[in-house]
Amino acid sequence: ERIRPALKRGITFLSDRYSTATLAYQGALGLSDGLAEACRFAEDGVRPYLTVMLDCPPRQAAKRRSGRKPRRR
């Protein structure tokens, strides 16, 4: 609803999640059967030009999250 129209207007679109995150998270849980195909279907041909992964040690990530309230929309 938002990505494709923005791209058609020549707008650069930034997203903090995409199917690569889904593949990583669900794949790590062993839920990879048919997952790549489902992601391709959901993407409907819209693919990122660039993917950037930010990484930090698990203890540091947990420390950053401590005290925060969960954000759900």
Side-chain angles (χ1 to χ4, degrees):
E1 294 175 9
R2 294 184 177 181
I3 297 173
R4 190 180 308 275
L7 293 174
K8 285 183 179 180
R9 291 192 312 267
I11 296 172
T12 299
F13 194 93
L14 300 176
S15 174
D16 66 340
R17 295 280 190 268
Y18 207 67
S19 58
T20 47
T22 300
L23 291 168
Y25 295 138
Q26 302 300 320
L29 295 173
L31 305 173
S32 59
D33 289 346
L35 189 58
E37 292 82 11
C39 286
R40 279 193 293 277
F41 175 79
E43 292 167 356
D44 193 26
V46 177
R47 301 280 304 171
Y49 174 74
L50 175 68
T51 299
V52 177
M53 185 180 94
L54 304 176
D55 191 20
C56 69
R59 285 182 189 221
Q60 183 178 1
K63 187 176 178 180
R64 290 179 181 178
R65 285 191 310 265
S66 68
R68 289 186 188 176
K69 294 180 181 179
R71 297 185 319 164
R72 297 285 180 203
R73 295 179 195 180

